[in-house]
Structures are given as C-alpha cells and as structure tokens.
Amino acid sequence: MKIFKTIFISIIMFFVYWFSQLVPKKKGIWIFGAWKGKKYGDNSKYLFEYINKHVTEIRPIWLTRNQQAFDLIKSKGYEVYRTYSFSGFLFSIIAEKIFISVAIKDVNRYTVNSKNVIMMWHGSTPIKKIVNDDTITRKKQLLIEKLLYLLFPFLGFRLRGLAISGSEEASRIFKSAFRAKEKQILLTGFPRNDTFFKNDQSAPILEEIKLLKRNNTYTAIYMPTHRKEGSGEISDLFNIDLKKINQSLKNLNTKLYVKLHYYHLNKHNFRNYSHIYFITDNDIIQDIYTILTEFDLLITDYSSVHFDFLLTNKPIIFAPFDKEKYLMEDREFYYNYNDVTPGPKASNWSELLVYIEKFIQNPKLYDKERLNVMRRFNKYTDSNNCQRVFSAIYNEKN
C-alpha cells in the first residue's frame, strides 16, 4: 500500500516540480531547513538566526514538519511555515536560495531548484565516509534508477549548487563525496561553531550544569555516533552495570551526560541515575550546541563533533568500543583513526573511568595533540563563521 501511495504522490509532484522550475525566483527570499524537517538546529539554524538579527535585505523563512520546532521558531518572532503547507510550497517555488543541513527533505523537496541549494552540512569534517564515498551503506545505482532520478529529481539529491566547509580537509572530502567542483565548495567555517566564542545560549538544562560546576562537580558528555543510519542498535554500548558506573562517577565527583544521536534519541529509554543522565530533545531545545561548551570533557567514538569541541581546548576521551565491527558493517573512515583523535582510546568503561580521573587531575594531558588537530580541521577560530557564509553566498552573483 505504501509503495502505491509513493508512486501516486511522485507522479503528481512530477508536474509540480517541473512547473516550479519555470517560475522566476524572487531575490531576497531564502529558505532554511534541517534534519528532514524534523528539527531546529545545526548550521542552518545559526545562519538563519544571524540573518534575522543582522541582515535586513534578506527575508529568511524556515520550513519544518515538527510542531515543537514550529512553535519554538514562532516564539522567537521568526518566519516559519509547515513544509508542505500552501505557504511552504509558494515560498519554496519562488525562493532565491535554499539552505539544508542533511538532505533535500530538510525543506520542500518537490519545488527545489537544486542549483539554488546550499549544503550547510550537519557536522564538522567527516571521519566516516559519506554520500558517494560510502560504499557500505550506499548501494550502487542501476541505470534505470539514474534515469528515474533524472525525471524525478526530488527523489534524491545531487549537489548542483554550493556547499560550505570549515577546513581544507573538509573541502577535499566534500568535493569527493558530492562529486563537486572546487568552485562549489566555500571555505567559510561552520556557523554553529560561532557558539564556542559567544555566551548567548540558553536551554532548560543549562542552569543545572552551571550549578554543578559552581559546586566543583566535574561534568562530562558522552556523544556516540549513530549505527546504520539509526537502524542499528546502540544498546550494546550500554551493556554494562550502569549502577556500578554511577557509583564510580559519584566517587570521582563527576556527572556524565549522555546525548544519543538524533537517529536514536527517541528509540531508547535508558534509566537515569544520580550521576548519569540521558539528555532529551526538550532539555536542549533540539540543539546540543546550546550547552556543549559548558562541559569539562567530551567522550565520543566516531563522531566529528570532537573537531568542533577542540575549539574549547578541553579534554576528549575516545571510546571506539566496536571499531572493527563498525568499519566492517557501518562506515569506513577517511583517516587513520589514531591520527585524528587527540586523546586516549578506551576499550571499555573501566578504562574510560580511569582516563576521566586522569583528566580531572591534569586537564592539560594531550593538549599539544589537541592543538595540532584543531588547527588542521578548523581554519577559523572566531565567531564570524555566519558572517563569512552570508557574505560568500550574498556576493556570489552580485
């Protein structure tokens, strides 16, 4: 039944899409979206808010399919519409620029002219192979599928517009992964990283973290990446005695916050303890960057978030508990893992706790390694990424 519905909608939208390509675009209408329309966050969000606050000649509009995101944006006084509402279709058809972070489904995919799309990306420089470079999760397209995507471009995404980058390393990867030309990649810095140099974020859980810090409680955040685009299990990462780990953390006067990847966030209901807390979307208003700078230490596995966190010059512990399995079944890496992960590698939770204690005693451990990798993967270390992105896009053809 679902396949027939998809076919029916695709046929109808075939005519909508090709009609929309003929409609003249209105200068100054810029459309934004993120995470398939289900979340308000990432690089799109930070550029969207920058333009709302500092640029009068652009009319920024956010599209979403998520009620919480809709209400949040509305409460800020910004313009927002349902992705597939009448206004969502209308403004998408006439939009001069379209900004996405994950995929074309971030916005109204049935009306988008891909030449006008700017890929903002949803992370830093990837460690995991992505898009066309990913030979494990991305299947090879058959000839008939290629022809299908030519007739129905909204079924997939091919970079015909621009992409932004935060480093020469990211530019090289995006050029390969998106099969893009060098002139399509703009080295501007990632907008969400502006938050590392500002103190203007807020979130319901923020005051709790600040209170812990004032009471000299060490705070750590664990951010494992997704498994199999969300279809894989992460429960084995927590196949431990959480009560025992909690006691060890209590002895270290450390509270561990766990932020699961967006793909897994609502699929697991792990129990909270006095010194272990699983962060929800409501805690952070859908955006982990509202609190990320507050933590004393980051723990991650294969997520590129550590390239961003390096801007804080705070300790990082790497937890590649299932690296060999991950490389075989999930994603290959662009780099030798040890070369781009400046910190200790824990093979289990017992080792991880030992490293936490070491960093509490001496936060400068690995500081030279962190600095070297930070410089390699972050061209800019200031709060002007949004400004650079806007200027690069606005002046592109002006």
Side-chain angles (χ1 to χ4, degrees), residues 366-385:
Y366 292 90
D367 62 346
K368 291 181 180 178
E369 291 89 340
R370 291 198 300 269
L371 182 60
N372 289 336
V373 177
M374 188 279 291
R375 288 172 172 168
R376 180 180 173 187
F377 289 93
N378 291 284
K379 180 176 176 62
Y380 299 103
T381 56
D382 57 33
S383 61
N384 299 321
N385 293 328

Short mmCIF file of all heavy atoms in Angstrom, two decimals, residues 366-385:
data_model
loop_
_atom_site.label_atom_id
_atom_site.label_comp_id
_atom_site.label_asym_id
_atom_site.label_seq_id
_atom_site.Cartn_x
_atom_site.Cartn_y
_atom_site.Cartn_z
N TYR A 366 47.52 15.69 26.72
CA TYR A 366 47.21 15.68 25.27
C TYR A 366 46.92 17.07 24.70
O TYR A 366 46.40 17.19 23.60
CB TYR A 366 46.00 14.77 24.97
CG TYR A 366 46.24 13.30 25.19
CD1 TYR A 366 46.00 12.71 26.43
CD2 TYR A 366 46.70 12.48 24.16
CE1 TYR A 366 46.21 11.35 26.65
CE2 TYR A 366 46.92 11.12 24.36
CZ TYR A 366 46.68 10.57 25.61
OH TYR A 366 46.89 9.23 25.80
N ASP A 367 47.26 18.13 25.44
CA ASP A 367 46.90 19.45 24.94
C ASP A 367 47.63 19.82 23.65
O ASP A 367 47.06 20.48 22.77
CB ASP A 367 47.09 20.52 26.01
CG ASP A 367 48.54 20.65 26.47
OD1 ASP A 367 49.35 19.75 26.17
OD2 ASP A 367 48.85 21.66 27.13
N LYS A 368 48.88 19.39 23.49
CA LYS A 368 49.61 19.69 22.25
C LYS A 368 49.01 18.94 21.07
O LYS A 368 48.88 19.49 19.97
CB LYS A 368 51.09 19.32 22.40
CG LYS A 368 51.85 20.23 23.37
CD LYS A 368 53.32 19.84 23.46
CE LYS A 368 54.06 20.75 24.43
NZ LYS A 368 55.50 20.36 24.57
N GLU A 369 48.63 17.68 21.29
CA GLU A 369 48.00 16.89 20.24
C GLU A 369 46.66 17.52 19.84
O GLU A 369 46.32 17.60 18.65
CB GLU A 369 47.78 15.45 20.70
CG GLU A 369 49.06 14.65 20.87
CD GLU A 369 49.65 14.77 22.27
OE1 GLU A 369 49.31 15.75 22.98
OE2 GLU A 369 50.44 13.89 22.65
N ARG A 370 45.91 17.97 20.84
CA ARG A 370 44.62 18.61 20.54
C ARG A 370 44.80 19.87 19.72
O ARG A 370 44.05 20.12 18.76
CB ARG A 370 43.87 18.94 21.85
CG ARG A 370 43.37 17.72 22.61
CD ARG A 370 42.29 18.12 23.61
NE ARG A 370 42.76 19.08 24.60
CZ ARG A 370 43.29 18.75 25.77
NH1 ARG A 370 43.47 17.47 26.08
NH2 ARG A 370 43.67 19.68 26.62
N LEU A 371 45.79 20.67 20.06
CA LEU A 371 46.04 21.91 19.35
C LEU A 371 46.40 21.64 17.89
O LEU A 371 45.92 22.32 16.97
CB LEU A 371 47.16 22.70 20.03
CG LEU A 371 47.51 24.06 19.41
CD1 LEU A 371 46.30 24.98 19.43
CD2 LEU A 371 48.68 24.70 20.14
N ASN A 372 47.23 20.65 17.65
CA ASN A 372 47.65 20.33 16.28
C ASN A 372 46.47 19.89 15.42
O ASN A 372 46.32 20.33 14.27
CB ASN A 372 48.73 19.23 16.30
CG ASN A 372 50.06 19.73 16.82
OD1 ASN A 372 50.35 20.92 16.76
ND2 ASN A 372 50.87 18.82 17.35
N VAL A 373 45.62 19.02 15.98
CA VAL A 373 44.47 18.54 15.22
C VAL A 373 43.44 19.66 15.05
O VAL A 373 42.80 19.79 14.00
CB VAL A 373 43.84 17.31 15.89
CG1 VAL A 373 42.58 16.85 15.14
CG2 VAL A 373 44.84 16.17 15.95
N MET A 374 43.27 20.49 16.07
CA MET A 374 42.34 21.61 15.98
C MET A 374 42.72 22.52 14.82
O MET A 374 41.87 22.92 14.02
CB MET A 374 42.34 22.39 17.29
CG MET A 374 41.26 23.48 17.37
SD MET A 374 41.69 25.03 16.53
CE MET A 374 43.00 25.61 17.61
N ARG A 375 44.00 22.87 14.70
CA ARG A 375 44.45 23.75 13.63
C ARG A 375 44.27 23.11 12.25
O ARG A 375 43.96 23.80 11.28
CB ARG A 375 45.92 24.11 13.85
CG ARG A 375 46.16 25.07 15.00
CD ARG A 375 47.63 25.22 15.30
NE ARG A 375 47.87 26.28 16.29
CZ ARG A 375 49.04 26.47 16.89
NH1 ARG A 375 50.08 25.66 16.62
NH2 ARG A 375 49.17 27.44 17.77
N ARG A 376 44.41 21.81 12.20
CA ARG A 376 44.26 21.10 10.92
C ARG A 376 42.81 21.09 10.44
O ARG A 376 42.56 21.18 9.23
CB ARG A 376 44.78 19.67 11.08
CG ARG A 376 44.68 18.82 9.82
CD ARG A 376 45.22 17.43 10.07
NE ARG A 376 45.00 16.55 8.94
CZ ARG A 376 45.25 15.26 8.92
NH1 ARG A 376 45.77 14.68 10.01
NH2 ARG A 376 44.99 14.53 7.85
N PHE A 377 41.86 21.00 11.38
CA PHE A 377 40.47 20.81 11.00
C PHE A 377 39.57 22.01 11.27
O PHE A 377 38.36 21.93 11.08
CB PHE A 377 39.90 19.57 11.70
CG PHE A 377 40.46 18.28 11.15
CD1 PHE A 377 41.58 17.70 11.74
CD2 PHE A 377 39.90 17.68 10.04
CE1 PHE A 377 42.11 16.52 11.24
CE2 PHE A 377 40.42 16.51 9.53
CZ PHE A 377 41.54 15.92 10.12
N ASN A 378 40.13 23.11 11.72
CA ASN A 378 39.37 24.35 11.91
C ASN A 378 40.19 25.52 11.38
O ASN A 378 41.10 26.00 12.06
CB ASN A 378 39.05 24.56 13.39
CG ASN A 378 38.06 23.57 13.94
OD1 ASN A 378 36.86 23.65 13.70
ND2 ASN A 378 38.57 22.59 14.69
N LYS A 379 39.84 25.97 10.19
CA LYS A 379 40.59 27.09 9.61
C LYS A 379 40.35 28.37 10.41
O LYS A 379 41.26 29.18 10.60
CB LYS A 379 40.18 27.32 8.15
CG LYS A 379 40.91 28.48 7.49
CD LYS A 379 40.56 28.61 6.02
CE LYS A 379 41.23 29.84 5.39
NZ LYS A 379 42.69 29.78 5.44
N TYR A 380 39.12 28.53 10.92
CA TYR A 380 38.78 29.76 11.64
C TYR A 380 38.51 29.45 13.11
O TYR A 380 37.88 28.45 13.45
CB TYR A 380 37.54 30.41 11.02
CG TYR A 380 37.75 30.80 9.57
CD1 TYR A 380 37.21 30.03 8.54
CD2 TYR A 380 38.51 31.91 9.23
CE1 TYR A 380 37.40 30.37 7.21
CE2 TYR A 380 38.71 32.26 7.90
CZ TYR A 380 38.16 31.49 6.90
OH TYR A 380 38.35 31.83 5.58
N THR A 381 38.99 30.33 13.96
CA THR A 381 38.78 30.19 15.40
C THR A 381 38.22 31.49 15.95
O THR A 381 38.80 32.13 16.83
CB THR A 381 40.10 29.82 16.11
OG1 THR A 381 41.09 30.79 15.80
CG2 THR A 381 40.58 28.45 15.66
N ASP A 382 37.08 31.89 15.41
CA ASP A 382 36.42 33.12 15.86
C ASP A 382 34.91 32.93 15.73
O ASP A 382 34.43 31.84 15.40
CB ASP A 382 36.89 34.33 15.04
CG ASP A 382 36.66 34.16 13.54
OD1 ASP A 382 35.66 33.51 13.15
OD2 ASP A 382 37.47 34.66 12.74
N SER A 383 34.16 33.98 16.00
CA SER A 383 32.70 33.90 15.98
C SER A 383 32.11 34.50 14.70
O SER A 383 30.96 34.95 14.70
CB SER A 383 32.12 34.64 17.20
OG SER A 383 32.49 36.02 17.15
N ASN A 384 32.87 34.49 13.61
CA ASN A 384 32.44 35.16 12.39
C ASN A 384 32.09 34.21 11.25
O ASN A 384 32.03 34.61 10.09
CB ASN A 384 33.54 36.13 11.92
CG ASN A 384 33.83 37.20 12.93
OD1 ASN A 384 32.92 37.72 13.58
ND2 ASN A 384 35.10 37.53 13.11
N ASN A 385 31.83 32.95 11.57
CA ASN A 385 31.51 32.00 10.50
C ASN A 385 30.20 32.34 9.80
O ASN A 385 30.11 32.26 8.57
CB ASN A 385 31.43 30.58 11.07
CG ASN A 385 32.78 30.08 11.55
OD1 ASN A 385 33.82 30.42 11.00
ND2 ASN A 385 32.77 29.27 12.59
#
